[in-house]
Amino acid sequence: MSFVPLVFSGVQPTGNLHLGNYLGAIKRFVEMQATHDCIYCVVDQHAITVWQDPFELKKQIREVTAAFLAAGIDPVKHIVFNQSQVPEHAELAWVFNCVARMGWLNRMTQFKEKAGKDKENASVGLFAYPTLMAADILVYRATHVPVGEDQKQHLELARDIAQKFNNDFKASIVSNGHDGELGYFPQPEPLTQGPAPRVMSLRDGTKKMSKSDPSDYSRINLTDDQDAIAQKVRKARTDSEPLPSEVDGLKERPDADNLVTIYAALASKSRADVLGEFGGSQFSVFKPALADLAVSVLSPINTRMRELMEDPGHIDAVLADGSERAGAIAAKVMGEVKDIVGFLRSRKS
Ligand code: AQP
C-alpha cells in the first residue's frame, strides 16, 4: 500500500512575481500536470506574515492566479485556488503547531533572514510559517511538492511533522481504520531539481532573486514589458571576461553562472550546450541573445496575464471553483484528523 501521488505547491501573492518564481516553481507546476493530479494554491495567509496593504493584496492574489493560468496551468483538469478560502489549512496548522517543536522552528533559516536583526518585532505568523506550509501540503495528503531550493528546509520540516504525527497518534490511526505502518500522512517529496532551482539577483549573483529586493533591476518581473526586460538584462552585473567554453569555468563567476543558467532554463537546454554555443563570446554578444530569448518566452505570458487581469470576475470564478473542489478534499482529511486526535466532529464534518 502507498499514498496516491498528488502534487501540491503554492506561491505567495506578495507582488513582483519574478523570473525566479517562474523558473523555480511555476514552469515546473505546468510540466507536472502531464503526469500528476495537481493542486496549486495562492498562499495569501502566508503573505500576511509580513505587512500587506489590503487594497494591494486583493490585486496580487488575482495577479498570481493570472500568472498560473497564463503560464499554462489548467484549472479544470487540476485545481487552482487561494488558501484563505479553505479554512482547513489554518485548522490543521493549529494541530501541527502542537506537533512541531520550538527547536525545529528555531532552526529555520528563512525566518532568521526575513526577521533580520529585529526578531522580537517579527510576527508570530512569520515564525510559525512552516507549520502552515506543512498543513497546506498535508491537508491534501499530497506526496510531491515542486519548489525552489529556498523552500527545501521547510519541506524537510513538513516531513518531520508528518512523521511525528504518525508516531504520536499511531494507536489512534490504527483504531480509526488506517494503516499503522504507513501512517496517516505521507512524507511529501520535495522536487527541487528544476532547470533553475535558484535564480540569482541580476545585481548580485550571490543573492537570490527575490520579490522583496528593493532594486527592481535585481529581477525580471513577469509583468515587465519587452523594453524593461531588455534593459534589465543589459544592465545585469557581469565580470569582464568572455564566457568560458566549459561549465567548470563558471566556478567563482556567480554573475556569469547566473545568466548562463537563466539562458539554459529558458531555452530548455543544459548549461554545457549554452556554453557550446556562446563559449568565448563577450557579454556584449550574449546579453542581447539572452534578452531576446527572455522576451520570446515571457512576452506571451505577460500578454495573457494582462488580458486575464482585465476580467477579475473570471479569475474570482476560477478561484471559487478551485476552493470548492479543494475544500471537499480538505474537509474529508480534517474530519479524519479530528477522529485521530480525539476531537469530536462538528455538525459540518
Ligand atoms: N530566486 C528564486 N529561484 C528559484 N525559485 C524561487 N522561488 C522564489 N525565489 C526563487 C520559488 O518560487 C516559489 C514561490 O515563492 P513564494 O512567493 O512563495 O516565496 P519566496 O520564496 O519567499 O519568494 P521570494 O521572491 O523570495 O519572496 P521574498 O522576497 O518575499 O522572500 C517557491 O517555490 C520558491 O521556492
Side-chain angles (χ1 to χ4, degrees):
M1 274 279 289
S2 61
F3 291 96
V4 181
L6 178 66
V7 166
F8 177 92
S9 198
V11 174
Q12 295 187 68
T14 39
N16 300 330
L17 215 51
H18 54 72
L19 187 65
N21 299 132
Y22 177 67
L23 293 175
I26 300 173
K27 187 169 189 275
R28 311 221 44 225
F29 296 0
V30 175
E31 291 161 1
M32 298 298 298
Q33 298 182 109
T35 47
H36 288 75
D37 286 329
C38 304
I39 302 180
Y40 295 128
C41 184
V42 183
V43 286
D44 46 13
Q45 289 172 318
H46 285 287
I48 64 162
T49 56
V50 296
W51 169 251
Q52 301 296 324
D53 178 331
F55 298 99
E56 283 298 305
L57 184 57
K58 284 193 170 67
K59 182 175 149 249
Q60 289 165 187
I61 292 168
R62 292 186 179 117
E63 195 170 279
V64 173
T65 312
F68 283 176
L69 304 183
I73 292 172
D74 181 340
V76 177
K77 284 206 188 111
H78 302 274
I79 295 179
V80 172
F81 75 108
N82 63 311
Q83 189 184 26
S84 62
Q85 291 204 50
V86 178
E88 285 81 3
H89 287 239
E91 211 176 346
L92 184 59
W94 182 257
V95 175
F96 286 170
N97 279 339
C98 303
V99 172
R101 306 289 93 182
M102 287 292 286
W104 299 359
L105 289 168
N106 269 329
R107 284 195 287 274
M108 295 297 109
T109 52
Q110 196 178 82
F111 175 75
K112 290 179 195 154
E113 280 161 23
K114 290 201 171 178
K117 291 201 177 75
D118 200 5
K119 225 168 82 177
E120 293 297 308
N121 207 22
S123 72
V124 175
L126 190 66
F127 184 72
Y129 180 114
T131 55
L132 178 57
M133 181 164 154
D136 296 336
I137 300 160
L138 294 170
V139 82
Y140 303 101
R141 299 167 97 200
T143 53
H144 295 86
V145 188
V147 280
E149 229 165 55
D150 57 327
Q151 292 296 336
K152 208 169 164 188
Q153 196 185 30
H154 289 164
L155 245 313
E156 275 157 18
L157 192 104
R159 292 168 64 86
D160 290 343
I161 290 175
Q163 192 174 22
K164 187 165 189 300
F165 182 95
N166 289 343
N167 287 341
D168 288 355
F169 293 102
K170 188 167 181 178
S172 182
I173 287 170
V174 173
S175 81
N176 278 287
H178 305 285
D179 184 327
E181 286 318 306
L182 198 61
Y184 182 71
F185 286 120
Q187 298 263 298
E189 288 285 332
L191 302 174
T192 50
Q193 311 80 357
R198 196 166 167 81
V199 177
M200 309 309 271
S201 158
L202 299 181
R203 306 302 294 163
D204 179 351
T206 62
K207 263 175 55 187
K208 185 183 91 142
M209 184 178 283
S210 134
K211 294 173 187 146
S212 53
D213 193 314
S215 167
D216 199 48
Y217 278 94
S218 67
R219 63 182 161 261
I220 294 176
N221 300 308
L222 294 190
T223 49
D224 283 342
D225 62 19
Q226 304 192 4
D227 289 345
I229 294 173
Q231 202 185 21
K232 286 177 178 181
V233 173
R234 211 166 38 242
K235 283 185 180 277
R237 195 173 82 173
T238 48
D239 50 40
S240 54
E241 299 294 311
L243 281 172
S245 301
E246 308 284 334
V247 172
D248 260 5
L250 292 170
K251 277 188 196 145
E252 318 290 329
R253 295 182 64 187
D255 296 305
D257 191 357
N258 188 33
L259 295 189
V260 171
T261 303
I262 291 173
Y263 190 105
L266 287 170
S268 301
K269 287 182 175 171
S270 67
R271 286 186 307 164
D273 285 346
V274 176
L275 293 179
E277 195 180 334
F278 289 98
S281 298
Q282 297 292 341
F283 284 102
S284 54
V285 173
F286 182 65
K287 279 182 170 179
L290 175 58
D292 286 349
L293 176 63
V295 166
S296 74
V297 174
L298 298 179
S299 275
I301 298 175
N302 179 303
T303 308
R304 185 70 190 123
M305 266 177 84
R306 281 171 204 265
E307 287 165 5
L308 285 161
M309 287 299 284
E310 278 168 22
D311 188 358
H314 170 67
I315 294 183
D316 292 0
V318 166
L319 292 174
D321 173 66
S323 305
E324 197 67 38
R325 288 155 57 218
I329 305 170
K332 181 170 180 292
V333 170
M334 199 57 221
E336 290 174 349
V337 168
K338 283 183 180 171
D339 294 340
I340 291 167
V341 170
F343 292 158
L344 301 175
R345 288 208 190 202
S346 67
R347 276 173 289 122
K348 280 193 299 178
S349 56

